[in-house]
Each structure stands twice: as structure tokens, then as C-alpha cells.
Amino acid sequence: MNTEHPHPAAPVLPAMLAEEIPPGVQEVILPNGERALAYSTGPTNPPPAPAAPATPVAQPIPAWAKSTALLAPTVGGGIAIAAVGLSAAAPGLVAVSHVLWSAVAAIAAGGTVAAVVIGRVRARLTAAQRPHITQHVTATGLFGRANGTINHR
């Protein structure tokens, strides 16, 4: 017969020091005498707050706050100067836009005129080079033989 216990005994762990136990966990003794760690379900006592100093201690200003404070007037001033520049340049910008539209219209009209002139010159050049062909055909009687001449000039 096997007299061994069906389940081996749990290994014996060394006891933890009170400083090693995390907050919210406490050591309990089970009914069979074993010690175990358990989460506390009741309210835990918070650690005492450190005593507030009598006088407030000056905190250093973070670097991001310093750079933001230095950049804010610079960016605002740049926007203001840009607005003044645009308002001063507005009449000139309107005049430039009129000049640009006039230039576009002149280019379009010039292109149309150039196309018409080139078409007419091309027609005259090809007409001068094309041969003029004339043909004279004569025939006598209803069933007579036809005679003709072709002239290339």
C-alpha cells in the first residue's frame, strides 16, 4: 500500500519582512496554520502625509514655459507686421492682377491673329506651287470619237 499523501506538500517559503509587503496586501494565518498573503477588502489606512512647510518654496520655471513665453510676442508681432504689409500692398496687388489679366488677353488675341496669318500665308504658298491643269475635250456627232488635250501650267 502506498502511504504517501496524494498531493505533495506546498514548499515552505521564507517569511517576508513587513517592509517587503506591498500596500493593500497583508499577511494572514489560515485555519490550517499556514501563513499567506491576501489582498485587503476593507479600507486601508493611507500613509501619513508629510507635513506641509510653513512657507511655500519657489519652484523653478520649466524650460518649455520659458520658450513659449518668449515665442508668443515674436509670433504675434510677425503676424501683425504681415497684416500691415498686406494692407499696404493691396492697391499694388489689385493693379498687378489687372496687368496679368491684360497680358493673358493679349497673348490669347496674339495667338489667334498668328494662327490666321499663318493659315493665309500657307494657303498662298501652296496655291503658287500647285500646278494648274486644264482639259479640252471635243467630239463630233452623237457617236463620234472624242479628242482632248491636257495642259499643265
Side-chain angles (χ1 to χ4, degrees):
M1 275 188 149
N2 190 356
T3 58
E4 291 182 21
H5 196 281
H7 298 289
V12 177
L13 298 175
M16 291 180 71
L17 298 174
E19 297 86 30
E20 295 176 343
I21 299 175
V25 176
Q26 56 185 337
E27 186 178 8
V28 295
I29 300 175
L30 299 175
N32 63 0
E34 288 184 52
R35 291 179 180 225
L37 295 178
Y39 287 102
S40 173
T41 57
T44 60
N45 295 334
T55 58
V57 179
Q59 298 291 328
I61 298 173
W64 65 266
K66 288 180 184 178
S67 29
T68 303
L70 291 173
L71 283 176
T74 306
V75 171
I79 292 172
I81 290 172
V84 169
L86 283 176
S87 67
L93 293 175
V94 170
V96 167
S97 70
H98 289 303
V99 168
L100 288 175
W101 280 115
S102 300
V104 168
I107 290 171
T112 304
V113 168
V116 169
V117 168
I118 289 172
R120 287 188 181 172
V121 168
R122 222 182 245 175
R124 285 186 185 168
L125 289 176
T126 56
Q129 294 173 356
R130 191 177 316 146
H132 186 72
I133 300 172
T134 57
Q135 185 176 8
H136 298 284
V137 178
T138 57
T140 56
L142 184 60
F143 297 104
R145 188 171 183 180
N147 292 322
T149 58
I150 299 175
N151 296 319
H152 296 274
R153 295 183 200 169

